[in-house]
Amino acid sequence: MASCRWPWRRCCSWRPAARSPGPGSLGPRGPPGPPAAADDGVQMSYFNLVKSLTSAFSNRYSMSRFHHTTSAACCCSKTRSGEKYIDPFKLGWRDLKDLYEDIRKELVISTTELKEMSEYYFDGKGKAFRPIIVVLMARACNIHHNNSRDVQADQRSIALIAEMIHTASLVHDDVIDDASSRRGKHTVNKIWGEKKAVLAGDLILSAASIALARIGNTTVISILTQVIEDLVRGEFLQLGSKENENERFAHYLEKTFKKTASLIANSCKAVSVLGCPDPAVHEIAYQYGKNVGIAFQLIDDVLDFTSCSDRMGKPTSADLKLGLATGPVLFACQQDY
């Protein structure tokens, strides 16, 4: 995703370091070296976060790939430091069986072309990152409350709804950014045109809203409708900028929360409400989703510079070409201002 527009060329000169492909790429093994200002604690902690998280998830690019490799895969992956991470997809795949098939069932559409457009990204090739976080949070809350290891039907519905809202936002984002490819194939707007793409995104969002209404919990409905408001506000933040250097990062993080982390945070909170009556647990679930969501987007912004289009499934350096400054550019400006 993109970030705030501002005339960064006036204040810095960003120079990509000569190094191997960055975290998450399938190129030569090994994380990139530290940034130039290695004594800067904030920058070091940020890139350490990138290295540790991408070490755990470096080979998980799609649910379909995961299902083809689970039998031979170990439940833990090892980092160079020897730490072990439990594979979240290994833990939650049973709760997401037939995820995309069930989403397509929610898209009850009689018009052939509109149905094809709406189902275009629900082909099982997405990472399913948001649904897996949601079902694992649901299971954690259920175990905490009544020692139940089962995910409730309504909690699983939240996972589907989260993926539908996310996909609708992708369709709309591609129109705004005039993107030509996503997930290794042409975007909806490039195949069917911008006007029809906007309508397809609206249809997915309406189907998610109907599924949400069927849950019948007014608190959960209120929580997840906040996500839609945040998505719109995040897009407006992306169109703006801050001239004050100290405000630029705050602006970037606020945009990142609204466009990416809000969906994960509020989805985690929603399943906690369904599984546990304790407000303290609801807040913990929300804060967890918020921080994971922000970390996820920070890494995605790094990959926009360090990876390539073939590995990402979408054009890289897209934000920079649009004149949008994300985390790596902001760090570079702090070094070279």
Side-chain angles (χ1 to χ4, degrees):
M1 283 189 184
S3 182
C4 51
R5 299 176 188 268
W6 56 283
W8 62 272
R9 291 179 183 86
R10 294 184 304 177
C11 67
C12 73
S13 174
W14 184 81
R15 299 183 298 274
R19 63 190 184 208
S20 60
S25 70
L26 294 180
R29 291 289 179 182
D39 56 341
D40 189 316
V42 175
Q43 294 176 29
M44 283 300 293
S45 62
Y46 168 68
F47 281 98
N48 285 338
L49 171 67
V50 171
K51 289 190 291 184
S52 63
L53 287 182
T54 51
S55 294
F57 298 102
S58 59
N59 294 319
R60 302 303 178 200
Y61 285 94
S62 68
M63 283 296 289
S64 58
R65 175 173 177 177
F66 168 74
H67 286 312
H68 284 96
T69 59
T70 20
S71 58
C74 175
C75 188
C76 298
S77 60
K78 244 185 177 181
T79 65
R80 293 192 171 193
S81 65
E83 296 177 74
K84 290 185 177 180
Y85 294 89
I86 301 298
D87 185 340
F89 291 94
K90 183 77 171 180
L91 290 174
W93 73 270
R94 286 181 302 170
D95 299 315
L96 295 182
K97 186 179 179 181
D98 300 325
L99 168 73
Y100 291 106
E101 181 181 342
D102 291 342
I103 289 176
R104 289 194 293 270
K105 290 177 182 178
E106 296 288 345
L107 301 170
V108 183
I109 307 163
S110 57
T111 307
T112 302
E113 185 181 36
L114 188 55
K115 182 178 179 64
E116 185 179 358
M117 293 166 60
S118 302
E119 294 180 352
Y120 185 64
Y121 287 134
F122 298 120
D123 56 1
K125 295 181 180 179
K127 294 184 289 293
F129 173 74
R130 290 153 188 83
I132 200 71
I133 291 292
V134 171
V135 296
L136 292 180
M137 177 58 71
R139 188 183 295 179
C141 291
N142 295 348
I143 291 174
H144 173 76
H145 177 55
N146 57 14
N147 205 30
S148 171
R149 295 184 176 274
D150 297 324
V151 173
Q152 302 172 20
D154 285 345
Q155 289 175 320
R156 186 178 183 276
S157 293
I158 297 297
L160 271 67
I161 292 165
E163 186 69 2
M164 293 170 75
I165 293 174
H166 168 61
T167 303
S169 74
L170 294 184
V171 174
H172 287 158
D173 277 354
D174 288 342
V175 173
I176 294 171
D177 298 337
D178 193 28
S180 59
S181 63
R182 182 177 291 279
R183 295 179 180 174
K185 58 183 183 180
H186 292 303
T187 55
V188 174
N189 50 293
K190 286 300 177 185
I191 298 175
W192 288 280
E194 292 184 353
K195 292 181 179 179
K196 289 182 178 180
V198 170
L199 296 175
D202 291 344
L203 186 75
I204 296 170
L205 195 58
S206 69
S209 300
I210 293 171
L212 178 60
R214 280 204 304 270
I215 293 176
N217 186 307
T218 55
T219 301
V220 169
I221 292 172
S222 177
I223 290 169
L224 285 180
T225 50
Q226 179 64 47
V227 173
I228 300 173
E229 178 184 338
D230 285 342
L231 284 169
V232 176
R233 291 184 180 275
E235 284 293 344
F236 270 86
L237 284 170
Q238 182 168 287
L239 297 173
S241 64
K242 294 291 183 182
E243 292 299 325
N244 187 316
E245 182 182 359
N246 295 328
E247 295 178 350
R248 286 173 187 155
F249 237 108
H251 184 91
Y252 165 68
L253 289 175
E254 183 182 4
K255 183 277 311 177
T256 297
F257 168 74
K258 291 188 181 299
K259 287 197 66 177
T260 303
S262 174
L263 175 58
I264 301 174
N266 284 295
S267 297
C268 286
K269 183 177 181 179
V271 293
S272 74
V273 168
L274 292 171
C276 179
D278 187 355
V281 173
H282 305 164
E283 181 62 20
I284 291 170
Y286 176 86
Q287 291 298 329
Y288 175 84
K290 174 183 175 180
N291 287 292
V292 168
I294 291 174
F296 178 86
Q297 188 58 49
L298 289 173
I299 292 172
D300 192 65
D301 290 342
V302 170
L303 292 174
D304 193 47
F305 286 87
T306 62
S307 190
C308 62
S309 299
D310 291 341
R311 302 302 185 193
M312 294 286 283
K314 60 183 179 180
T316 53
S317 302
D319 295 335
L320 193 62
K321 292 171 185 175
L322 292 170
L324 304 171
T326 54
V329 173
L330 295 175
F331 276 119
C333 288
Q334 287 181 348
Q335 294 178 35
D336 296 336
Y337 186 83

